[in-house]
Amino acid sequence: MLALPGRGDPFDRHVLSCALVVAMEDVEQAQAPCLHASLGLHADSLSRLLDQCFPGLEPLEPGVTREGDTGEGAIEEADLRCLLLEHASHQGEVTTWLAHIVARRALKPGHLWQGLGLDERSELSRLMTRHFATLAQQNIHNMRWKKFFYRQLCGREGIPICKSPVCGDCPDYRACFVCDE
């Protein structure tokens, strides 16, 4: 388990460390203009996160700035962030930061746990259960998290997304649900 030295819950620091690493890779590969944009955080939030969770962290790479806004995300990013925050298990900055980070990293291609830099899908499930418990409890069939989020968002808008009236009968069932990755 990767975790930079610092303060706070070790698992939360692990998740934040992983997200920081993949966000820095995005910046280095010119896939994001700056670290906080890759994380979906405002510059001042990133500074607080670093100061609070990783005090004394060496200066970031020269091309990684803490200035500016979060950049443009997809249209559904704000809705996903709101969904997560509505189900927040804890009040506080760490949960808020994680809602922003999860919403931004969900826009990346591939599995969300990989987009967050986590070692395995179970860590994402643990994160969801820890910080967004009432939402995690609704994922009773272990649907892949991104698909689950979009299903929740589409359901709010009254948009049916399943090709069959019962998920088990849908030809895309294996694309949505997993035993564990």
Side-chain angles (χ1 to χ4, degrees):
M1 182 164 82
L2 168 71
L4 299 171
R7 294 189 301 240
D9 178 79
F11 179 72
D12 291 347
R13 284 189 299 105
H14 165 68
V15 171
L16 294 168
S17 296
C18 291
L20 284 166
V21 168
V22 294
M24 288 183 76
E25 290 171 358
D26 283 355
V27 173
E28 290 168 1
Q29 297 169 3
Q31 295 177 357
C34 57
L35 183 59
H36 64 274
S38 185
L39 295 169
L41 296 170
H42 290 284
D44 61 336
S45 293
L46 176 59
S47 290
R48 280 195 315 276
L49 182 156
L50 293 171
D51 293 343
Q52 182 175 330
C53 297
F54 310 107
L57 185 66
E58 292 296 317
L60 301 173
E61 297 294 321
V64 180
T65 178
R66 295 188 200 183
E67 298 175 6
D69 65 22
T70 61
E72 291 296 317
I75 193 168
E76 67 274 11
E77 181 181 356
D79 293 335
L80 177 52
R81 188 173 46 249
C82 287
L83 175 68
L84 291 166
L85 290 171
E86 286 171 12
H87 292 276
S89 304
H90 314 284
Q91 298 300 316
E93 285 187 309
V94 173
T95 299
T96 301
W97 295 330
L98 288 168
H100 282 259
I101 292 168
V102 168
R104 177 59 56 96
R105 301 305 294 180
L107 304 177
K108 303 289 286 179
H111 298 295
L112 179 55
W113 64 271
Q114 293 170 324
L116 289 166
L118 298 173
D119 298 324
E120 54 192 27
R121 184 176 186 269
S122 64
E123 290 180 325
L124 175 56
S125 295
R126 181 176 171 191
L127 161 71
M128 293 300 300
T129 300
R130 178 172 164 72
H131 286 278
F132 311 103
T134 57
L135 184 60
Q137 290 166 357
Q138 294 176 41
N139 191 0
I140 57 174
H141 297 295
N142 201 24
M143 182 179 271
R144 296 175 196 261
W145 284 107
K146 274 197 222 180
K147 291 203 179 270
F148 174 76
F149 294 153
Y150 282 93
R151 176 168 283 223
Q152 296 297 309
L153 295 175
C154 289
R156 286 179 164 200
E157 299 296 321
I159 302 169
I161 58 172
C162 193
K163 295 179 182 177
S164 298
V166 178
C167 286
D169 296 335
C170 182
D172 289 336
Y173 181 85
R174 294 180 69 72
C176 294
F177 298 93
V178 293
C179 292
D180 211 350
E181 301 175 5

